[in-house]
Amino acid sequence: MSEKTIPILPCPTIQPVLDFYRAIGFQVTHQQRSPNPYAVVERGGIELQFFGLKGYEPTRSISTCYVMTDDVDGLYDAFRSGLKLAYGRVPTRGLPRIGPLKDMSYGVRQFLMTDPAGNCIRIGQPANQDRDQGQGQGQKSHPPAPRETFARALHTASLFADSKDDPAGAAKIIDRVLRLEDERPTPVQLFRLLVLRADAASRLGDAEAMASALGGAAAVRLTPEERESVRDDTERLEDLRDQGLP
């Protein structure tokens, strides 16, 4: 016996959503224009369905779904390439947008993508594919949240910025922890916190804070080994530089 879950997501009009998903490699496998607008897009094992809803406001959307994959890096690269070709850049704020690829402290490597209708598609892969072996069927082991000051701040700020879509909350957490006088982050922690702070500032339209965080991150000295460990954050830094100040 096998089952498959297919999300059905709202949108004010169908066509901009279909254009978006076509740009990142999906095929439109069904489209109904009347009596009710409805469409299906598919890419590999991913299937998403959409229905038109008059008066629906994308900027207030809370619709979301999670896609598990065994190649999150491949999908991320493919989606970014498709979006850059379609929009002339990789959109990282507003609608549509694609967020950074990152290793979350709860054991998942993921990114968030939001379509023109405001639907958030979370795409992830277990950071350790073997992490559930030996746990028993239906049981999953999630590592606890970090306890060290700066690791915990990065963990919590990332959740605020991405999962809660609350960049202001993320900014407050980072600003508070970086003002501590009796503890200092490692260079890697400092770099990652500043990149996330610049990301939050970009989404808040705070040009001054964004410039300050970008400058601070660029000034952090990292060894080659440390630089390798923050490749995702470095890519995000370059995205923020390329898109310019809001």
Side-chain angles (χ1 to χ4, degrees):
M1 183 176 181
S2 62
E3 295 83 21
K4 181 178 181 179
T5 299
I6 302 172
I8 304 177
L9 304 168
C11 55
T13 55
I14 293 285
Q15 196 58 51
V17 172
L18 299 186
D19 292 342
F20 172 82
Y21 284 98
R22 281 195 182 102
I24 58 174
F26 282 76
Q27 291 185 324
V28 178
T29 57
H30 174 74
Q31 184 172 3
Q32 171 183 293
R33 291 179 171 82
S34 63
N36 300 307
Y38 201 92
V40 180
V41 299
E42 298 183 56
R43 188 186 196 279
I46 306 172
E47 179 176 338
L48 304 173
Q49 300 188 9
F50 300 93
F51 66 96
L53 182 62
K54 290 183 178 180
Y56 187 76
E57 176 50 60
T59 60
R60 300 181 65 183
S61 173
I62 58 173
S63 299
T64 187
C65 69
Y66 205 104
V67 174
M68 294 300 294
T69 178
D70 59 4
D71 186 17
V72 70
D73 287 77
L75 286 180
Y76 186 67
D77 290 342
F79 290 176
R80 282 172 57 89
S81 296
L83 291 174
K84 187 172 185 178
L85 185 63
Y87 294 92
R89 60 183 178 85
V90 178
T92 59
R93 61 175 181 257
L95 294 176
R97 65 178 180 269
I98 187 169
L101 176 64
K102 59 176 68 175
D103 293 314
M104 307 303 292
S105 55
Y106 46 83
V108 175
R109 181 167 174 77
Q110 71 174 20
F111 67 95
L112 276 61
M113 179 178 68
T114 305
D115 67 22
N119 300 301
C120 178
I121 313 300
R122 299 166 181 255
I123 302 173
Q125 175 180 0
N128 179 1
Q129 292 282 11
D130 299 324
R131 70 189 180 94
D132 294 333
Q133 292 184 4
Q135 295 295 323
Q137 186 175 3
Q139 298 178 0
K140 295 184 178 180
S141 175
H142 296 280
R147 301 184 65 179
E148 190 275 329
T149 299
F150 298 98
R152 184 174 68 248
L154 186 61
H155 165 82
T156 307
S158 292
L159 292 178
F160 269 74
D162 297 325
S163 297
K164 292 189 67 176
D165 193 20
D166 182 2
K172 289 180 181 178
I173 292 168
I174 296 169
D175 290 344
R176 183 169 60 248
V177 77
L178 291 182
R179 285 196 297 265
L180 294 176
E181 296 182 356
D182 56 342
E183 295 182 77
R184 298 302 304 165
T186 67
V188 165
Q189 289 173 330
L190 178 60
F191 181 81
R192 297 188 66 197
L193 285 165
L194 288 171
V195 171
L196 183 55
R197 183 63 178 90
D199 191 331
S202 171
R203 291 159 62 182
L204 292 167
D206 188 339
E208 183 177 353
M210 181 180 173
S212 176
L214 287 175
V220 176
R221 294 187 177 184
L222 299 172
T223 67
E225 292 78 11
E226 290 171 336
R227 184 69 62 181
E228 178 67 18
S229 73
V230 295
R231 283 187 300 168
D232 294 338
D233 303 273
T234 301
E235 184 174 86
R236 184 57 176 166
L237 179 65
E238 295 304 319
D239 281 346
L240 291 167
R241 284 175 170 168
D242 290 343
Q243 73 183 22
L245 299 177

